[in-house]
């Protein structure tokens, strides 16, 4: 047995208002005045001076607003890298991502592709990155994905939706300032928060479970219950706790895996562009068979927060389209081994997956 030796985020700040320290934190990392910091910022913050006035631009630093309407693509990473190389003679001092999972994943991928030759699609998979990335910082503005702590950056490429999983992917620095999440719309809060809840359920009910994953997963699960099922938290406490739940949920799957909801939701996302948070919710709603207790509680949380999930996403799909989604889902072997066990192929047939997709 060879145990995996994982890197972690090397530095983390936590606290309401800690975003104010961004300038102090990154300035020692500036290589010279020509080597800029590149800030990738969710365009939802365009014109929002409460946040943007605190982005410490100096010298040749550049701020790029990026839409999170669509999840990151390998081609988008390639374009950003090219743009940065063309605009700046010197290699950047660092990349700072400010936003949700979409922007955090882009920041990680751009940092890797600035030092590794070729196209982003060539690095989708496990341990394909050869050269350390440039210094990269993550500042989450919505909580749940665990992208701020994970060893992957999930990208949709021409052939597949798959992460760049590598030792060089995790952030060198993360700033956890729960105040930054204050204006997240309620539905989105629920969808992305449920990504964390689903990470816990899939990790805690998986065959890969071990004490490392369990300790993080149980903590994140307990925080999710406080946040989504009980009524005695202040708004601030709830934001603080969800940010830490996301962190723990991400740590939990680092040493295990996700499961059925993620496998099926990757299929939805690949074919229909359904976003991760909402897609996971749409799928998870139909997974009583795999996660009876987790799904029961999910339905209660949905009801309590008056969330209405879209119905009939797959109602008008052709057989060929179902096949595309099923191929994507079945391609994620580690997720199925985690969810069902080594003999998963006996249980998880194409017909079974089609039947599930037809309910969505
Ligand atoms: P997101 O980044 O897609 O953002 C969702 C929406 O919330 C967007 O409209 C965005 O503009 C908005 N938003 C973000 N912060 C806001 C704020 N403070 N105020 C108002 N609006 C705000 O959402 P997400 O759910 O965090 O991320 C999903 C992405 O994360 C997917 O691409 C998924 O593949 C990826 N992901 C990555 C990992 C990983 O380990 N790398 C894990 C899970 C998911
Ligand atoms: Zn997820």
């Amino acid at each position: 047995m060879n145990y995996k030796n994982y890197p972690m985020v090397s530095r983390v700040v936590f606290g309401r208002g800690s975003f104010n320290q961004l300038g102090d934190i990154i300035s020692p990392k500036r290589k010279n005045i020509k080597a800029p910091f590149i800030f990738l910022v969710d365009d939802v913050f365009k014109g929002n001076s409460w946040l943007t006035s605190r982005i410490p631009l100096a010298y040749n630093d550049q701020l790029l607003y990026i839409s999170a309407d669509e999840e990151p693509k390998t081609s988008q990473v390639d374009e950003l890298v090219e743009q940065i190389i063309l605009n700046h003679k010197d290699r950047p001092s660092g990349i700072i991502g400010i936003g949700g999972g979409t922007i955090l994943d882009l920041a990680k991928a751009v940092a890797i592709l600035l030092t590794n030759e070729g196209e982003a699609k060539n690095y989708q998979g496990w341990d394909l990155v050869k050269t350390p990335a440039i210094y990269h910082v993550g500042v989450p503005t919505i909580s749940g994905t665990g992208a701020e702590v994970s060893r992957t950056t999930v990208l949709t490429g021409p052939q597949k939706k798959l992460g760049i999983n590598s030792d060089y992917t995790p952030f060198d620095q993360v700033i956890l300032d729960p105040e930054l999440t204050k204006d997240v719309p309620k539905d989105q809060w629920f969808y992305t928060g449920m990504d964390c809840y689903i990470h816990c359920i899939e990790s805690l009910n998986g065959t890969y479970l071990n004490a490392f994953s369990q300790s993080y997963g149980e903590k994140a699960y307990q925080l999710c219950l406080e946040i989504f099922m009980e009524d005695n938290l202040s708004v601030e406490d709830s934001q603080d706790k969800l940010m830490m739940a996301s962190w723990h949920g991400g740590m939990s799957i680092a040493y295990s895996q996700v499961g059925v909801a993620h496998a099926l939701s990757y299929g939805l996302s690949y074919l229909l562009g359904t976003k991760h948070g909402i897609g996971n919710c749409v799928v998870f709603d139909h997974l009583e068979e795999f996660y009876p207790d987790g799904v029961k509680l999910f339905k209660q949380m949905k009801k309590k927060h008056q969330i209405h999930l879209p119905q009939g996403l797959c109602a008008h799909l052709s057989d060929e389209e179902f096949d595309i989604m099923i191929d994507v889902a079945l391609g994620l072997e580690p997720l199925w081994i985690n969810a069902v066990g080594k003999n998963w192929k006996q249980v998880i047939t194409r017909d079974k997956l089609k039947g599930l997709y037809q309910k969505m």
Side-chain angles (χ1 to χ4, degrees):
M1 182 81 190
N2 207 355
Y3 294 101
K4 289 187 177 133
N5 182 13
Y6 281 137
M8 307 220 309
V9 170
S10 15
R11 280 178 177 266
V12 56
V13 183
F14 174 85
R16 303 182 73 81
S18 59
F19 184 56
N20 294 333
Q21 291 167 230
L22 179 59
D24 293 341
I25 290 169
I26 63 175
S27 64
K29 301 287 178 184
R30 189 183 292 281
K31 291 200 205 111
N32 64 62
I33 59 170
K34 278 188 285 172
F37 284 112
I38 310 289
F39 296 86
L40 305 182
V41 183
D42 190 320
D43 71 1
V44 76
F45 296 114
K46 213 174 190 169
N48 176 340
S49 62
W50 177 77
L51 186 133
T52 56
S53 67
R54 293 186 281 163
I55 296 175
L57 290 171
Y59 308 108
N60 294 332
D61 294 351
Q62 194 180 7
L63 189 163
L64 297 171
Y65 285 110
I66 294 176
S67 164
D69 289 348
E70 288 182 7
E71 298 194 340
K73 294 190 184 57
T74 55
S75 57
Q76 187 184 8
V77 173
D78 296 334
E79 281 160 27
L80 279 167
V81 169
E82 191 177 296
Q83 191 185 338
I84 292 168
I85 292 174
L86 286 176
N87 281 332
H88 302 276
K89 262 211 217 126
D90 283 40
R91 184 178 272 176
S93 295
I95 303 290
I96 294 100
I98 305 175
T102 299
I103 306 296
L104 297 180
D105 275 1
L106 272 174
K108 294 196 230 181
V110 167
I112 290 171
L113 267 296
L114 277 166
T115 55
N116 287 272
E117 275 182 11
E119 294 173 278
K121 66 174 189 206
N122 302 338
Y123 297 96
Q124 285 179 286
W126 281 269
D127 302 308
L128 302 171
V129 180
K130 298 286 177 286
T131 314
I134 64 169
Y135 176 71
H136 50 302
V137 180
V139 186
T141 64
I142 179 170
S143 301
T145 63
E148 66 280 12
V149 71
S150 77
R151 187 183 174 272
T152 189
T153 161
V154 184
L155 303 175
T156 301
Q159 271 116 35
K160 55 198 169 196
K161 177 174 175 180
L162 185 62
I164 300 180
N165 300 267
S166 86
D167 282 354
Y168 306 119
T169 308
F171 285 112
D172 299 297
Q173 169 80 56
V174 170
I175 297 183
L176 296 178
D177 181 350
E179 206 177 32
L180 300 182
T181 66
K182 69 181 176 62
D183 296 321
V184 172
K186 184 178 166 200
D187 281 11
Q188 189 63 54
W189 164 79
F190 185 83
Y191 300 144
T192 300
M194 283 302 112
D195 191 22
C196 175
Y197 173 75
I198 294 168
H199 291 158
C200 298
I201 300 296
E202 292 183 323
S203 171
L204 292 171
N205 293 285
T207 60
Y208 288 175
L209 191 65
N210 53 69
F212 184 101
S213 296
Q214 188 176 9
S215 64
Y216 285 108
E218 283 175 349
K219 186 68 209 177
Y221 177 80
Q222 180 211 323
L223 289 166
C224 285
L225 293 189
E226 276 185 66
I227 296 156
F228 293 103
M229 287 301 288
E230 292 167 20
D231 294 308
N232 34 30
L233 291 182
S234 67
V235 174
E236 287 80 10
D237 283 347
S238 176
Q239 292 164 355
D240 291 7
K241 288 188 184 219
L242 189 53
M243 197 158 263
M244 288 321 298
S246 175
W247 185 274
H248 282 82
M251 284 301 296
S252 177
I253 47 178
Y255 234 109
S256 64
Q257 251 305 345
V258 283
V260 183
H262 278 75
L264 294 182
S265 139
Y266 271 38
L268 280 183
S269 155
Y270 188 80
L271 182 75
L272 303 172
T274 314
K275 295 198 68 189
H276 190 75
I278 193 169
N280 278 352
C281 288
V282 167
V283 172
F284 197 65
D285 214 19
H286 298 287
L287 298 185
E288 298 91 340
E289 177 190 345
F290 298 96
Y291 306 110
D293 298 338
V295 174
K296 196 169 152 205
L297 200 63
F298 171 78
K299 289 183 189 288
Q300 289 171 21
M301 297 192 276
K302 207 176 60 165
K303 190 163 169 216
K304 181 174 165 65
H305 298 289
Q306 299 172 331
I307 303 293
H308 302 285
L309 294 173
Q311 307 286 325
L313 281 183
C314 301
H316 304 290
L317 296 184
S318 65
D319 285 345
E320 289 73 27
E321 288 174 314
F322 277 110
D323 278 337
I324 292 172
M325 292 197 295
I326 292 167
D327 286 337
V328 172
L330 288 178
L332 298 160
E333 178 147 33
L335 282 61
W336 294 109
I337 297 178
N338 182 45
V340 186
K342 282 206 187 73
N343 299 324
W344 64 277
K345 285 186 179 148
Q346 289 162 14
V347 191
I348 306 300
T349 59
R350 298 187 75 90
D351 279 350
K352 167 127 211 139
L353 296 193
K354 188 167 185 181
L356 283 167
Y357 276 131
Q358 279 168 331
K359 292 188 194 168
M360 297 171 197

